[in-house]
Amino acid sequence: MPPSVRFYAAVVHRPPPPPAPAPSGPWRTLLLAGLALAAAVLAAYHNSLHGAFVLDDAPSITDNPTIRHLVTAWFPPHTATRDGGLAVGGRPLVNESLAINYALGGTKVEGYHAMNLGIHLLAALVLFGLVRRTLQQPVLQRHAGAALPLAFLTALLWAVHPLQTESVDYVVQRAESLMGLFYLLTLYSFVRWARRGARAWAVAAVVSCLLGMATKEVMASAPLIVWLYDRTFVSGSFREAWRRHRRLHIALMATWLLLGWLVLDAGGRGGTAGFAAGVAWWQYALTQASAIVHYLRLSLWPFPLVFDYGTELATRPTEAAPAVLLIVGLVAGTGLALWRRPVIGFIGAWFFAILAPSSSFVPVATQTIAEHRMYLSLAAVILAGVLVLYHLLGRRSLPLLLGLAVAFAFLTVQRHRAYSSALALWRDTVAKRPLNPRAQNSLGTVLLMQHQLQDAIACFEAAIRSNPDYSLAQNNLGVALVQFGRPGDAIVHYEAALRLSPADGEIPHNLGDALILAGRIPEAMVQYQHALALRPEFADAQANNLGSAFLQAGQTARAIGFFEAALQAKPDFAEAHSNLGNALAQTGRLPEAITHYEAALRSQPDDAETHFNLGNALYQTGHLREAMLHYDAALRAKPDFAEAHANLGSALLQAGRREEAVQQYRKALRIQPDLPDARDNLIRLGESIPAQASPPK
């Protein structure tokens, strides 16, 4: 068993220790260790490149117009989404990295995952270098001989730990891993500068710190941690660290100016973070005490891992009392260790300082618990565990730690399966947190997109049972019920959603659609006008909706005015062209109607209804050949279109092609036995009615 680690107390006027010796060991060994670390990370994440965009990925990537150009990406949007904050708000470097991905491959998800994995791998390599050089500092000189294997195993365990999967697999959480990379680079650059005094490393430390501040707010503690590192491992006291390196420390602290400006400019990330987020600070603090204990448990036993814990808060101090006592004890112990045992104190300070911005008393309303917050703090837990085990077992601990890394890597590979698709991820989350309304709503949304209506409705109803005030679930349940053919029930939920979120312009739009289906035309008009007032940027769609409502109400002239307004706002709006064509046809303005039908087909060439209506207009104006061509096109797009078969039959009959007309009438009746035009025309021609087209008794 090796001798125990020698610690010494901080002394105010302690003379600085001698400079650290140059790193020992051949470069070939370091290179092989780095390659082995890279190979292990790639093996652990080999099946992580095809997971879908989920949750905040959509507003931050697929629906984020600022990443379409590298210049506009420096100005990310700040507004909150309908289900939380925007992950890129106030984080221009994260947004710019997404813009680089977009420039290279659009929205192909593999490129985004590959960049996330590259960031994580680089962070692991920098952690390896930082820990190795730290273990070679004079205060830890008894570990210098084992610095390389201990640093390698620390970085390996950290990189393949299953708790890291959320920061790597969830695309927009590169905010955490990218910040972690710059945090580590800041410290590593300081260590290199402090050893040799090369100005380039000082510049690298400041630049890394500045880039980290533009990445995520957690970077705020980096200048203090560098100063604490200086005091603990380099200079011996805070006073000496300030005397020797104050220019660099001042430069690092100056990067807070950028962070402060970004935080103020982001406005609390759309009102979802800070004391204005609508969450009591004491409730959030109590919740975080339990969360930190949970993170520590997952560091040691990473199961079960949960993608989304929801927004639950502790409501009674007694609920979190054991966790609060434990955290208070750990913080007090860290403070004492900083005075008496600086190395142990530094590890504790690393853990708590990095967690503090998101896991203290400053609320983050959209996520009260999130595994990605442990990304960099996990390094402190891993390092402490490695040093303790090495202290107890010596070199016998090395194969044990390597075996643990293999086990972690295996669990990480298994965890990627949950991220393989949005459906798999939300099913996994709901199975572990069934009372999380956001998880239920998200699973319902995926099922709705896959047309699994009954299962989607069940999920939305479960979300509403957990939180009746969840307007997004109320709205989504309405959408599912409309598709299920229950517009009356949908109206109830749309109205509930509108009461909860009166400023959401999508809800009155959806409510208007349901009211149309329920035959309540005047009420639908009111809702469409309300939607237009709330979302004037979608004037084209709302004007088209209003036109449709007036057309169904028989107010054709007013409908035409709204369709024309929609086309003025969006000249290539196919649906508005088609609707205007219908309105003009009703008023007998067939040549104008034909013009708009043709315009609609230029944008949507496979629209069966528009081909059918254009065929009707051409038939009525005597253009039989052209009419038949469009009836044929309608039937290619929609083979079971009974009315198109019947009207094609009438056009063929008009053109003297009796036998072909009879065939079309028969096809129409096989699809729709009670279609009067086809039946009457066959009787008029003296033809028999198909047996399967006999009217029901």
Side-chain angles (χ1 to χ4, degrees):
M1 180 181 298
S4 59
V5 179
R6 184 176 66 185
F7 300 109
Y8 59 90
V11 180
V12 175
H13 296 292
R14 183 190 312 125
S24 59
W27 282 106
R28 181 178 297 178
T29 303
L30 292 176
L31 178 61
L32 290 175
L35 291 174
L37 181 58
V41 173
L42 293 175
Y45 281 85
H46 76 276
N47 61 333
S48 68
L49 299 180
H50 304 289
F53 291 132
V54 292
L55 203 58
D56 286 352
D57 287 340
S60 298
I61 301 171
T62 56
D63 300 333
N64 181 2
T66 66
I67 69 167
R68 304 299 185 260
H69 303 283
L70 295 177
V71 175
T72 58
W74 290 111
F75 308 96
H78 297 153
T79 54
T81 67
R82 298 175 70 201
D83 207 12
L86 196 61
V88 295
R91 300 166 182 175
L93 198 59
V94 178
N95 207 48
E96 184 66 25
S97 74
L98 297 173
I100 293 172
N101 271 129
Y102 187 85
L104 294 174
T107 56
K108 292 181 180 178
V109 73
E110 291 80 5
Y112 295 84
H113 284 300
M115 184 177 286
N116 276 24
L117 180 54
I119 291 168
H120 182 56
L121 175 55
L122 288 174
L125 291 171
V126 177
L127 179 64
F128 169 47
L130 175 63
V131 174
R132 173 176 164 271
R133 289 180 177 275
T134 300
L135 292 177
Q136 291 174 333
Q137 296 286 357
V139 69
L140 291 173
Q141 58 186 343
R142 293 186 179 181
H143 289 78
L148 193 148
L150 292 179
F152 174 80
L153 288 168
T154 298
L156 177 64
L157 287 164
W158 177 83
V160 302
H161 197 291
L163 191 54
Q164 305 290 51
T165 51
E166 183 174 309
S167 299
V168 183
D169 288 1
Y170 181 15
V171 173
V172 297
Q173 283 313 325
R174 75 168 52 163
E176 197 76 45
S177 59
L178 189 58
M179 180 279 303
L181 173 60
F182 289 128
Y183 205 117
L184 292 168
L185 280 171
T186 301
L187 262 173
Y188 180 79
S189 299
F190 169 78
V191 173
R192 294 298 301 268
W193 173 77
R195 185 172 68 85
R196 289 186 176 178
R199 181 173 297 179
W201 286 112
V203 172
V206 176
V207 170
S208 297
C209 196
L210 196 67
L211 293 174
M213 297 295 179
T215 303
K216 192 170 184 181
E217 300 83 350
V218 176
M219 192 73 185
S221 62
L224 297 178
I225 288 295
V226 172
W227 191 18
L228 183 59
Y229 185 100
D230 189 354
R231 171 261 189 174
T232 305
F233 299 106
V234 179
S235 298
S237 70
F238 286 118
R239 178 178 294 181
E240 188 63 20
W242 188 256
R243 186 188 68 79
R244 296 173 63 194
H245 306 136
R246 63 177 175 273
R247 290 184 179 179
L248 179 57
H249 291 307
I250 290 172
L252 292 173
M253 293 176 185
T255 63
W256 284 331
L257 296 174
L258 173 62
L259 179 61
W261 178 77
L262 290 172
V263 169
L264 291 174
D265 186 57
R269 298 184 58 223
T272 62
F275 297 109
V279 175
W281 67 268
W282 63 269
Q283 280 188 294
Y284 190 78
L286 290 176
T287 305
Q288 292 316 295
S290 300
I292 293 172
V293 173
H294 180 67
Y295 298 152
L296 287 169
R297 186 189 67 77
L298 289 177
S299 301
L300 302 174
W301 184 259
F303 183 84
L305 297 176
V306 179
F307 173 66
D308 181 15
Y309 288 83
T311 58
E312 291 183 9
L313 290 165
T315 56
R316 294 191 300 272
T318 53
E319 295 177 1
V324 170
L325 291 175
L326 177 59
I327 297 304
V328 169
L330 289 174
V331 171
T334 297
L336 181 62
L338 285 171
W339 176 44
R340 301 296 299 273
R341 294 289 187 266
V343 173
I344 296 175
F346 178 83
I347 294 175
W350 173 284
F351 177 82
F352 285 112
I354 294 172
L355 275 178
S358 58
S359 300
S360 55
F361 58 87
V362 181
V364 181
T366 53
Q367 280 188 314
T368 52
I369 302 176
E371 291 169 3
H372 63 260
R373 293 173 185 165
M374 270 295 288
Y375 182 76
L376 200 51
S377 291
L378 181 63
V381 181
I382 296 290
L383 178 59
V386 168
L387 292 179
V388 168
L389 205 58
Y390 183 75
H391 175 73
L392 295 174
L393 301 177
R395 290 190 174 272
R396 290 175 297 170
S397 65
L398 302 183
L400 180 61
L401 291 168
L402 187 60
L404 183 60
V406 172
F408 280 168
F410 174 78
L411 293 175
T412 294
V413 170
Q414 300 303 308
R415 180 59 180 162
H416 296 319
R417 295 179 180 177
Y419 287 87
S420 61
S421 69
L423 182 61
L425 184 59
W426 288 118
R427 277 184 169 160
D428 178 79
T429 305
V430 165
K432 296 169 180 174
R433 305 285 287 192
L435 298 181
N436 179 352
R438 183 165 58 202
Q440 291 282 6
N441 177 72
S442 298
L443 176 58
T445 301
V446 175
L447 293 168
L448 182 62
M449 294 172 64
Q450 297 183 359
H451 305 291
Q452 300 182 45
L453 295 181
Q454 288 183 309
D455 291 340
I457 289 170
C459 288
F460 295 137
E461 289 175 338
I464 292 169
R465 282 195 300 272
S466 295
N467 182 8
D469 295 334
Y470 193 6
S471 65
L472 186 55
Q474 294 278 8
N475 176 74
N476 289 346
L477 179 55
V479 173
L481 290 169
V482 165
Q483 294 187 23
F484 202 64
R486 295 163 55 186
D489 294 332
I491 289 170
V492 175
H493 291 284
Y494 285 141
E495 289 174 338
L498 194 56
R499 285 193 299 272
L500 294 165
S501 298
D504 190 336
E506 184 178 330
I507 300 172
H509 165 84
N510 292 342
L511 177 54
D513 290 346
L515 289 166
I516 288 284
L517 293 173
R520 296 160 60 177
I521 308 300
E523 296 172 74
M525 295 178 187
V526 172
Q527 294 303 324
Y528 285 143
Q529 288 172 328
H530 185 197
L532 181 59
L534 289 173
R535 302 187 72 173
E537 69 273 22
F538 297 113
D540 51 352
Q542 301 303 343
N544 180 65
N545 292 336
L546 277 166
S548 300
F550 279 112
L551 189 61
Q552 292 191 47
Q555 300 183 44
T556 309
R558 295 193 68 182
I560 290 173
F562 279 106
F563 293 140
E564 289 175 339
L567 290 171
Q568 187 175 3
K570 186 179 180 182
D572 60 347
F573 192 174
E575 186 179 348
H577 275 295
S578 184
N579 287 339
L580 180 53
N582 293 339
L584 291 167
Q586 287 187 19
T587 61
R589 297 158 62 180
L590 292 174
E592 295 175 72
I594 289 171
T595 299
H596 286 286
Y597 288 140
E598 290 173 341
L601 289 173
R602 282 194 290 272
S603 297
Q604 294 184 353
D606 297 325
D607 190 300
E609 296 288 344
T610 304
H611 277 293
F612 175 72
N613 291 332
L614 177 54
N616 291 341
L618 290 166
Y619 178 83
Q620 293 178 56
T621 55
H623 297 82
L624 294 180
R625 183 174 176 278
E626 293 87 344
M628 287 187 282
L629 291 174
H630 285 285
Y631 289 140
D632 280 331
L635 290 169
R636 284 195 300 273
K638 186 179 177 182
D640 60 347
F641 199 162
E643 290 86 350
H645 280 293
N647 287 11
L648 176 57
S650 297
L652 289 165
L653 188 62
Q654 186 75 14
R657 296 159 62 177
R658 184 180 187 280
E659 293 303 319
E660 295 175 75
V662 169
Q663 292 177 11
Q664 292 299 324
Y665 288 140
R666 290 182 183 277
K667 288 180 180 179
L669 290 174
R670 291 189 187 101
I671 298 168
Q672 189 174 330
D674 58 348
L675 190 63
D677 290 344
R679 179 180 294 279
D680 293 345
N681 285 332
L682 277 180
I683 294 173
R684 189 177 301 113
L685 292 170
E687 298 288 340
S688 61
I689 306 298
Q692 60 267 47
S694 300
K697 296 181 179 178

